[in-house]
Amino acid sequence: MNEELPAERQPLHVTVWDEATPGAPRAVLVHGTMSWGTACFAGQRPLAEMFRLELVDRRGFGDSPDTARSDYATDAEDIGQLLGRGAHLVGHSYGAAAVMLAAAARPEAVQSLTLIEPSPLRTAAAHPVVAAALERIRAAFGASEEGREMSPEEYLRRSTEPYGLPVPEPTPRMLRAVRSAMRERPVWDAQLPLGPLAKATMPKVVVNGTWESAPPEYREFTGRALAACGEYLAEAIGARHVRVSGACHTPHQDRPEQVNAVLTRLWQS
């Protein structure tokens, strides 16, 4: 890492999985919040036998430099640089907003675009299910701002337990990810321009879980809205919409074989 550069300008950490033949297609994968590259995309490891996988750690996560505030627009600039002369691009959740912006800015360098459970809800607010969820999330966010500042451990619990989700082990790496998530620019309030993506000619896929296996509290608070957001975005940008049965917000982790098959077909086409 270059110590002469300020943290905000130091290069990202990228893990490369590549057991493919030289010259195999490149794929840049971007994780969501409270995660990092290898944790988010562990289920895609088998694809490295055919493709060169480049797993990004966004600023403030994994082994990338710290940042005062995680921001999908800054992530998009980083990803645009990582694309180089061209690569397939995948983003999950928060990372989907970043790859959408990067693809809109550099469509000629994106060989295909995959959005997994994209979460820029405001962009899809014309859908009534999404609009209702935005009201709930804004109310909850406002309430949390009124209280005292939470510790990372408390934030981790409050992000999982009330929705019937297991609390991840509070390892140092996880707590660093939580601290960065606590300072993130809210992705649910992102209003992203869809016109450039609709005009772009690269193949596009949006992947959602069907959410029937999610805890009821989690499904009602955000699950139905995320599914509706994916459906809306797919239609708006001209993408194929893939629904993965038995999966929730992480279909690439819940049903990796199904998602890997989608990615393989896309990247080989």
Side-chain angles (χ1 to χ4, degrees):
M1 188 173 292
N2 190 339
E3 297 295 341
E4 297 180 358
L5 291 174
E8 296 292 343
R9 295 187 59 196
Q10 289 178 358
L12 299 183
H13 180 268
V14 179
T15 300
V16 176
W17 290 339
D18 184 7
E19 290 109 40
T21 57
R26 294 175 60 219
V28 175
L29 289 74
V30 184
H31 65 88
T33 196
M34 291 201 293
S35 188
W36 52 92
T38 56
C40 183
F41 295 107
Q44 283 57 67
R45 187 70 174 81
L47 294 176
E49 296 178 3
M50 296 179 289
F51 308 101
R52 175 184 169 89
L53 305 184
E54 301 179 13
L55 286 69
V56 177
D57 288 345
R58 294 165 43 229
R59 296 190 183 276
F61 300 88
D63 291 317
S64 280
D66 288 329
T67 182
R69 191 186 192 201
S70 177
D71 190 315
Y72 48 81
T74 301
D75 295 337
E77 294 176 4
D78 288 330
I79 295 161
Q81 295 180 15
L82 291 173
L83 282 172
R85 297 179 64 182
H88 299 280
L89 194 51
V90 179
H92 171 242
S93 191
Y94 196 106
V99 302
M100 288 170 70
L101 288 174
R106 295 199 61 204
E108 76 287 350
V110 180
Q111 295 167 354
S112 72
L113 177 66
T114 302
L115 310 176
I116 302 176
E117 285 278 312
S119 53
L121 297 179
R122 185 179 173 192
T123 302
H127 194 295
V129 172
V130 178
L134 270 174
E135 290 187 11
R136 291 195 301 273
I137 293 169
R138 285 169 177 153
F141 180 78
S144 68
E145 286 291 287
E146 293 172 3
R148 64 177 177 82
E149 184 176 351
M150 288 182 281
S151 68
E153 291 85 353
E154 184 178 357
Y155 187 91
L156 184 61
R157 288 194 302 272
R158 292 196 181 187
S159 299
T160 52
E161 281 184 340
Y163 309 108
L165 301 174
V167 181
E169 182 182 357
T171 63
R173 179 168 288 237
M174 173 57 72
L175 292 178
R176 179 182 185 242
V178 173
R179 282 191 293 271
S180 294
M182 293 171 70
R183 299 190 299 269
E184 267 182 339
R185 183 181 180 186
V187 71
W188 44 263
D189 208 27
Q191 180 68 60
L192 306 181
L194 300 181
L197 289 179
K199 294 177 182 177
T201 58
M202 84 283 286
K204 296 161 250 181
V205 174
V206 177
V207 180
N208 279 104
T210 54
W211 285 85
E212 73 272 13
S213 59
E217 298 85 352
Y218 187 33
R219 184 172 60 246
E220 289 305 313
F221 189 72
T222 58
R224 293 176 62 245
L226 285 166
C229 180
E231 180 181 14
Y232 181 95
L233 292 178
E235 182 175 356
I237 67 174
R240 183 164 67 98
H241 191 205
V242 176
R243 297 172 178 85
V244 180
S245 298
C248 302
H249 190 44
T250 54
H252 59 302
Q253 297 174 8
D254 300 334
R255 296 290 185 270
E257 297 86 359
Q258 293 184 39
V259 175
N260 290 352
V262 171
L263 294 174
T264 298
R265 288 194 298 270
L266 182 67
W267 295 348
Q268 287 181 335
S269 62

